[in-house]
């Protein structure tokens, strides 16, 4: 029933005159960017379901191979920031998976479980959120069933505040601002994400759910990121900015896509950055980017200088109410870059 409604709504888009389509906006303080966003893809928007399925299968194989490279971590190597009988807060190193995946790869989850165990006796019942393998920083694990239930509720209702520190390409002009761009699965570069545009939503109508899966056909997700410029720096002779990023909505790959979509991809991001595996500029045409965007030449120079090095994004702080004691907690750890 829900998917039928989505398809009907998407079909309704085709009946609207072109001037009725409203573009997502990138807000900087009080300035709002408006107008129609263009796709950055040079390929046809209207790919067949079989083409998308083949792309997804090939990319998932690459991602599984990448996951196998997760660095081993022992229970004694865990950097514990806080622990009590209900929860553990850990500083995850870059290059380690948060959860093992289907192939039981080395993971932080497994190391924490081996060290602390859980009331349920199950490793997966400790997980309430995760960080990407290339992202370092703070992760919470539940040790009891009560903590698991309440933490899941806190994350679902956005009562957990997470701040990240990142280095991005170029000097961001405004000292602070908000990026408010809806995200969707990118059927041209599955399983990655992109900024949702009207033309890409229209292209979904012809796709077969049974062939491409439900995730590709999901409606756009409202996504908001707030940023503050900490400093404007030089890295190997190249302009970079150190940002504090607050993920308001917590979508998959949100920070990566949003930074790329304002022309300042995260340093070391081999997926959404220069020459990455996902759509360039978060899926937007370069003409839609702000004037202070990092040039292609600068992005290329930074990509060359950072090749083989970890991505520069770190989950620096996390604040929440303890799931059992109800005490307000806040933790912070420094970025490794």
């Amino acid at each position: 029933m829900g998917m039928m409604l989505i398809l009907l709504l998407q079909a309704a888009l085709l009946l609207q005159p072109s001037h009725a389509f409203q573009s997502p906006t990138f807000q900087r303080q009080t300035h709002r960017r408006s107008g129609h966003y263009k796709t950055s893809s040079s390929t046809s928007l209207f790919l067949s379901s079989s083409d998308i399925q083949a792309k997804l299968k090939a990319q998932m194989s690459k991602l599984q191979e990448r996951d196998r490279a997760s660095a081993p971590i022992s229970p004694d190597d865990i950097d514990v920031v806080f622990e009590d009988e209900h929860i553990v807060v850990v500083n995850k190193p870059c290059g380690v998976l948060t959860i093992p995946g289907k192939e039981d790869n080395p993971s932080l989850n497994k190391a924490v479980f081996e060290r602390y165990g859980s009331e349920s006796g199950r490793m997966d019942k400790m997980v309430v959120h995760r960080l990407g393998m290339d992202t370092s920083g703070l992760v919470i694990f539940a040790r009891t069933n009560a903590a698991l239930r309440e933490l899941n509720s806190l994350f679902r209702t956005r009562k957990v505040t997470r701040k990240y520190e990142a280095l991005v390409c170029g000097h961001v002009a405004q000292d602070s601002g908000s990026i408010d761009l809806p995200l969707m699965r990118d059927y041209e570069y599955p399983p990655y994400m992109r900024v949702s545009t009207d033309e890409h939503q229209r292209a979904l109508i012809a796709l077969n759910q049974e062939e491409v899966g439900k995730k590709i056909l999901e409606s756009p997700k409202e996504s908001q990121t707030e940023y503050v410029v900490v400093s404007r720096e030089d890295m190997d002779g190249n302009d970079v900015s150190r940002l504090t990023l607050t993920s308001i909505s917590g979508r998959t790959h949100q920070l990566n896509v949003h930074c790329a979509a304002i022309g300042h991809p995260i340093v070391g991001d081999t997926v959404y950055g220069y020459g990455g595996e996902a759509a360039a500029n978060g899926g937007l045409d370069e003409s839609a980017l702000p004037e202070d965007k990092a040039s292609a030449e600068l992005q290329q120079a930074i990509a060359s200088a950072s090749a083989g090095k970890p991505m520069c994004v770190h989950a620096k702080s996390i604040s929440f109410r303890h799931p059992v004691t109800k005490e307000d907690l806040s933790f912070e750890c420094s970025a490794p870059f």
Side-chain angles (χ1 to χ4, degrees):
M1 184 65 182
M3 183 56 62
M4 178 65 71
L5 179 58
I6 291 172
L7 294 177
L8 289 173
L9 290 172
Q10 290 172 338
L13 286 172
L14 291 177
L15 302 179
Q16 300 291 329
S18 60
H19 67 269
F21 294 118
Q22 299 300 313
S23 301
T25 58
F26 161 51
Q27 298 174 341
R28 288 187 161 194
Q29 293 179 333
T30 57
H31 176 64
R32 173 173 293 184
R33 293 179 58 84
S34 60
H36 294 280
Y37 283 139
K38 300 175 183 178
T39 176
S40 64
S41 174
S42 60
T43 59
S44 170
L45 288 173
F46 298 98
L47 297 174
S48 69
S49 295
S50 58
D51 287 339
I52 296 169
Q53 187 179 42
K55 284 189 173 186
L56 177 60
K57 184 177 180 180
Q59 190 58 47
M60 290 304 295
S61 178
K62 290 182 182 179
L63 292 176
Q64 288 169 358
E65 184 64 31
R66 189 177 301 168
D67 287 350
R68 295 186 191 109
S70 177
I73 182 169
S74 73
D76 294 334
D77 292 333
I78 300 170
D79 182 5
V80 178
V81 177
F82 174 85
E83 64 174 281
D84 68 10
E85 61 182 307
H86 298 287
I87 64 172
V88 183
V89 181
V90 179
N91 181 16
K92 184 185 92 67
C94 178
V96 177
L97 288 170
T98 302
I99 62 174
K102 295 180 179 180
E103 298 185 4
D104 196 28
N105 297 303
S107 69
L108 183 64
N109 182 196
K110 185 174 183 180
V112 171
F113 179 72
E114 289 178 353
R115 178 163 170 174
Y116 291 99
S118 69
E119 181 183 356
S120 65
R122 290 177 52 178
M123 184 170 70
D124 61 315
K125 292 297 183 181
M126 302 184 78
V127 179
V128 292
H129 71 121
R130 66 190 70 178
L131 296 177
M133 187 168 79
D134 295 330
T135 302
S136 59
L138 296 171
V139 182
I140 310 169
F141 289 95
R143 298 181 64 186
T144 62
N145 295 333
L148 177 69
R149 287 192 299 271
E150 184 61 21
L151 284 171
N152 280 330
S153 176
L154 290 176
F155 275 97
R156 186 172 59 253
T157 55
R158 301 182 185 177
K159 293 179 180 177
V160 178
T161 301
R162 290 176 287 174
K163 294 184 183 295
Y164 296 75
E165 188 167 312
L167 283 181
V168 300
C169 298
H171 282 171
V172 178
Q174 297 288 343
D175 291 337
S176 63
S178 177
I179 306 166
D180 193 356
L181 298 169
L183 301 183
M184 63 180 286
R185 291 281 175 179
D186 194 342
Y187 61 86
E188 293 182 290
Y189 299 94
Y192 298 123
M193 307 297 290
R194 56 158 292 131
V195 174
S196 178
T197 62
D198 299 324
E199 56 188 338
H200 278 79
Q201 282 298 304
R202 288 196 293 269
L204 296 181
I205 297 171
L207 299 180
N208 186 321
Q209 176 184 319
E210 293 184 359
E211 293 183 9
V212 302
K214 292 182 179 179
K215 288 188 175 181
I216 292 290
L217 297 179
E218 286 179 343
S219 297
K221 302 291 186 181
E222 177 186 352
S223 305
Q224 185 177 10
T225 301
E226 293 178 350
Y227 71 87
V228 175
V229 177
V230 177
S231 59
R232 297 175 179 88
E233 305 175 10
D234 175 280
M235 188 187 76
D236 299 323
N238 301 306
D239 290 344
V240 296
S241 297
R242 187 175 295 271
L243 306 182
T244 295
L245 301 169
T246 303
S247 174
I248 305 301
S249 41
R251 306 299 183 192
T252 301
H253 298 178
Q254 175 182 315
L255 301 182
N256 307 71
V257 179
H258 275 178
C259 287
I262 63 170
H264 299 284
I266 296 172
V267 172
D269 189 344
T270 59
V271 174
Y272 295 96
Y274 182 86
E277 299 173 4
N281 306 320
L284 301 181
D285 187 82
E286 190 170 345
S287 64
L289 304 184
E291 293 181 0
D292 70 343
K293 65 180 181 293
S295 67
E297 293 76 18
L298 177 60
Q299 291 187 41
Q300 183 178 23
I302 292 174
S304 297
S306 60
K309 299 178 182 178
M311 182 171 59
C312 294
V313 61
H314 174 75
K316 185 174 184 177
S317 70
I318 191 163
S319 302
F320 59 99
R321 179 163 291 184
H322 192 287
V324 179
T325 69
K326 307 306 178 184
E327 177 186 1
D328 288 333
L329 300 176
S330 185
F331 305 102
E332 184 169 324
C333 61
S334 300
F337 48 83

